[in-house]
């Protein structure tokens, strides 16, 4: 349920009654992970998804019946073996808790919506059937107020990051240019990064085209225990960058952590496609995945260890 925190808080504050269906158990292959939710408001509005389509219609009807008083809260099961209908076409089995959104959920939802650490217990028949814990949102620092930064900010914010854009030029470092950013800071990125609050889940990406920022920022970022440090640029820029970083005393082991040129090879040419390329490498690095097309990979589409 915490995955829908922003919109659910808005619904609650507008006075809507809400039914929520939450995945509380996943066995085998399934499109969504435990904790994913589908919510239905009393005016018919819908948020989220549990399956990408194959059981969402039935779950939506179940939520509407609950809101209308024609059904009770409960645990429902869906599988892909033909024993229960509708089922999951990918062959897995899921359990779904359907209940009205109660007052106990509001404060955890507000915390999650604000990017703070949040914990929510879902109960049924007097017992806890699922505990959701969402740590504070991971941080992403984008050095350079460029078009690529604007696109990556939008993409990463939608994915749950708290994004800061840093640029020393006041005419470019404005909230109007980066409406999706949690904050826009007018400062030298290399001076700001150490105080930005990034931890081991943090991501720092250099998108500026300025050698006054390039190596100094990357040296400062690589000195921190961040999960991902990347830099956009050509092969020639990368060679100059590495030489400059070595000149600043950055050793080979530390340089090996640098993703430069950053991004997966998608043939990107526009700022948004470039942002997709960069974010795709962030996701692959954080998950330890190969980044290969699924068509060319014999592994299962949905890894069982991806379900918490």
């Amino acid at each position: 349920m915490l995955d829908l925190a922003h919109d659910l808080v808005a619904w609650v504050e507008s006075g809507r009654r809400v039914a929520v269906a939450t995945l509380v158990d996943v066995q085998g292959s399934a499109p969504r992970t435990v904790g994913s939710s589908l919510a239905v408001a009393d005016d018919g509005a819908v948020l989220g998804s549990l399956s990408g389509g194959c059981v969402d219609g039935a779950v939506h009807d179940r939520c509407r019946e609950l809101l209308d008083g024609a059904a009770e809260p409960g645990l429902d099961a869906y599988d892909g073996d033909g024993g229960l209908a509708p089922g999951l076409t990918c062959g897995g089995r899921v359990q779904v808790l359907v209940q009205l959104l109660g007052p106990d959920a509001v404060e955890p939802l507000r915390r999650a919506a604000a990017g703070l650490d949040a914990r929510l217990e879902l109960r049924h028949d007097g017992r806890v059937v699922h505990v959701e814990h969402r740590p504070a949102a991971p941080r992403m620092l984008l050095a350079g107020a460029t078009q690529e930064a604007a696109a990556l900010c939008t993409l990463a914010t939608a994915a749950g990051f708290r994004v800061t854009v840093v640029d020393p030029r006041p005419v470019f470092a404005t909230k109007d240019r980066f409406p999706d950013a949690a904050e826009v800071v007018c400062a030298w990125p290399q001076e700001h990064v150490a105080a930005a609050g990034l931890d081991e889940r943090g991501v720092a990406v250099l998108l500026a085209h300025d050698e006054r920022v390039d190596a100094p920022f990357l040296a400062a970022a690589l000195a921190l225990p961040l999960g991902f440090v990347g830099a956009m640029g050509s092969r020639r820029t990368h060679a100059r960058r590495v030489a400059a970083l070595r000149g600043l005393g950055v050793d080979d082991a530390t340089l090996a952590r640098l993703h430069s040129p950053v991004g997966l090879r998608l043939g990107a040419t526009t700022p948004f496609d470039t942002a997709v390329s960069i974010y795709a490498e962030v996701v692959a690095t954080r998950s330890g995945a190969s980044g290969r097309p699924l068509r060319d990979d014999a592994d299962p589409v949905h890894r069982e260890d991806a379900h918490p």
Side-chain angles (χ1 to χ4, degrees), residues 10 74 79 81 92 114 211 256 304:
D79 69 19
D81 296 326
E211 292 193 1
E304 291 195 23

Side-chain angles (χ1 to χ4, degrees), residues 223-300:
L224 302 173
L226 306 184
F228 186 98
V229 179
M232 190 171 71
S234 66
R235 301 286 183 193
R236 181 178 298 179
T237 297
H238 173 70
R240 290 200 308 269
R241 177 177 291 149
V242 169
L245 286 168
R246 286 200 172 108
L248 292 174
V250 179
D251 60 31
D252 288 345
T254 302
L255 282 172
R257 294 175 45 223
L258 176 61
H259 297 262
S260 171
V262 69
L264 300 186
R265 189 180 293 280
L266 304 182
T269 56
T270 67
F272 190 82
D273 285 354
T274 299
V276 170
S277 167
I278 294 169
Y279 188 70
E281 187 179 10
V282 171
V283 173
T285 300
R286 283 160 58 90
S287 66
S290 67
R292 294 192 301 270
L294 293 174
R295 182 186 64 181
D296 301 333
D297 193 325
D299 293 337

Side-chain angles (χ1 to χ4, degrees), residues 5-90:
H6 286 89
D7 292 317
L8 286 177
V9 167
W11 279 9
V12 168
E13 292 177 347
S14 69
R16 289 165 163 167
R17 293 174 58 247
V18 182
V20 183
T22 302
L23 280 179
V24 297
D25 184 62
V26 173
Q27 298 175 18
S29 182
R32 300 287 187 268
T33 58
V34 168
S36 299
S37 296
L38 182 148
V40 180
D42 53 6
D43 61 0
V46 180
L47 292 172
S49 173
L50 299 184
S51 68
C54 44
V55 302
D56 284 354
V59 173
H60 170 267
D61 292 344
R62 178 82 163 82
C63 288
R64 290 303 303 265
E65 290 172 358
L66 181 59
L67 286 165
D68 294 341
E72 296 293 323
L75 279 169
D76 302 331
Y78 302 91
D79 69 19
D81 296 326
L84 297 170
L88 294 173
T89 58
C90 50

Side-chain angles (χ1 to χ4, degrees), residues 87-256:
L88 294 173
T89 58
C90 50
R93 187 178 192 277
V94 298
Q95 271 199 316
V96 180
L97 176 65
V98 183
Q99 58 184 182
L100 295 174
L101 181 62
D104 292 346
V106 174
E107 182 56 28
L109 287 169
R110 286 200 171 107
R111 289 185 60 83
L116 303 175
D117 188 271
R119 186 177 187 274
L120 175 64
E121 289 187 354
L122 300 183
R123 295 176 175 270
H124 179 64
D125 285 344
R127 65 186 181 91
V128 176
V129 296
H130 176 61
V131 177
E132 284 188 59
H133 175 233
R134 174 157 293 194
R139 304 291 302 273
M140 180 179 288
L141 180 72
L142 304 181
T146 63
Q147 286 183 288
E148 291 82 7
L152 184 54
C153 179
T154 297
L155 191 62
T157 297
F161 278 87
R162 180 177 174 85
V163 182
T164 298
V165 179
V166 187
D167 193 292
R169 303 167 297 172
V171 69
F172 293 102
T174 66
K175 186 65 173 174
D176 287 344
R177 296 189 71 237
F178 298 91
D180 296 311
E183 56 182 350
V184 180
V185 178
C186 185
W188 288 100
Q190 57 266 39
E191 296 175 0
H192 180 79
V193 63
L198 280 69
D199 58 18
E200 67 278 359
R201 299 180 301 149
V203 173
V205 183
L206 174 69
L207 299 166
H209 303 280
D210 188 337
E211 292 193 1
R212 295 173 301 173
V213 173
D214 197 306
F217 170 75
L218 292 174
L222 288 167
L224 302 173
L226 306 184
F228 186 98
V229 179
M232 190 171 71
S234 66
R235 301 286 183 193
R236 181 178 298 179
T237 297
H238 173 70
R240 290 200 308 269
R241 177 177 291 149
V242 169
L245 286 168
R246 286 200 172 108
L248 292 174
V250 179
D251 60 31
D252 288 345
T254 302
L255 282 172

